[in-house]
Amino acid sequence: KTFQLHKVFMAIYRNKSTKVEIQMCAMKSLYPQFKVTKKSSNEVKFVGELQPKPEFRKFKVEITYCGNLRPKVKILSPQLVDKPPHFYEKTETLCLYHPKDFNWSKDKLIAKYILPITSAWLYFYEVWLETDIWYGPEASHDNIKNDNDEKTI
């Protein structure tokens, strides 16, 4: 997949494509099950299914890319339980990483960074439902302002 992504990226880069077009191409190449909707010249939505393990259920996921703003990831179905860990209630989006641990920029690819982290979040969510223990990475959110302007649970 990495070689395939590199070929796609280089072809697009030579054509001077926009960041949105690069994101769209990378997603179509690596995650063809995701439908792509270009909202504007700097915003695109991806909707598709992820299944973190064959024995786990499939989740319908929506990812919104807006340049340098942190991508917003929502689970459309099945509905998550009330107040899951690492979740922004106000925007109903997943908390995938701590800003001190990962710095998002418009040059990073949703397909390379956000999709794998989302799949991992779904895996840890399913395990949490069974064990009531979050085995995924965690960090304190005290005094951290983020794009969603709220703290996680």
Side-chain angles (χ1 to χ4, degrees):
K1 280 190 174 183
T2 302
F3 178 72
Q4 182 183 9
L5 180 61
H6 179 72
K7 276 180 34 180
V8 168
F9 184 74
M10 291 310 296
I12 294 169
Y13 184 75
R14 275 184 287 227
N15 291 333
K16 308 253 189 267
S17 297
T18 67
K19 300 294 183 194
V20 166
E21 290 166 333
I22 291 169
Q23 295 289 346
M24 292 168 59
C25 225
M27 282 294 286
K28 284 180 184 178
S29 175
L30 295 175
Y31 296 94
Q33 75 270 28
F34 275 75
K35 293 198 178 359
V36 179
T37 306
K38 187 174 179 180
K39 302 302 238 174
S40 70
S41 62
N42 67 347
E43 181 180 350
V44 63
K45 283 194 183 213
F46 304 101
V47 177
E49 288 188 336
L50 284 178
Q51 187 175 15
K53 282 185 79 172
E55 59 268 24
F56 291 164
R57 58 198 162 149
K58 292 181 180 178
F59 290 85
K60 188 172 186 180
V61 176
E62 175 188 87
I63 302 170
T64 304
Y65 167 87
C66 290
N68 277 330
L69 293 177
R70 189 170 30 157
K72 296 201 182 321
V73 180
K74 291 185 176 191
I75 304 303
L76 302 178
S77 66
Q79 183 175 342
L80 299 176
V81 298
D82 285 339
K83 299 185 180 192
H86 308 287
F87 184 78
Y88 298 108
E89 279 193 68
K90 183 179 173 186
T91 58
E92 297 183 336
T93 58
L94 306 183
C95 176
L96 298 175
Y97 54 86
H98 192 280
K100 287 183 180 178
D101 296 332
F102 179 77
N103 188 23
W104 174 258
S105 74
K106 65 184 176 185
D107 297 321
K108 292 182 176 163
L109 294 174
I110 297 280
K112 184 175 179 183
Y113 294 97
I114 300 303
L115 257 293
I117 296 170
T118 300
S119 188
W121 190 99
L122 293 170
Y123 172 84
F124 293 123
Y125 172 77
E126 289 285 84
V127 172
W128 172 78
L129 288 176
E130 294 294 321
T131 65
D132 204 29
I133 299 170
W134 186 266
Y135 287 100
E138 293 187 282
S140 171
H141 288 77
D142 296 335
N143 301 320
I144 298 294
K145 185 172 170 121
N146 58 56
D147 295 345
N148 294 318
D149 200 28
E150 61 180 308
K151 292 182 181 176
T152 59
I153 294 181

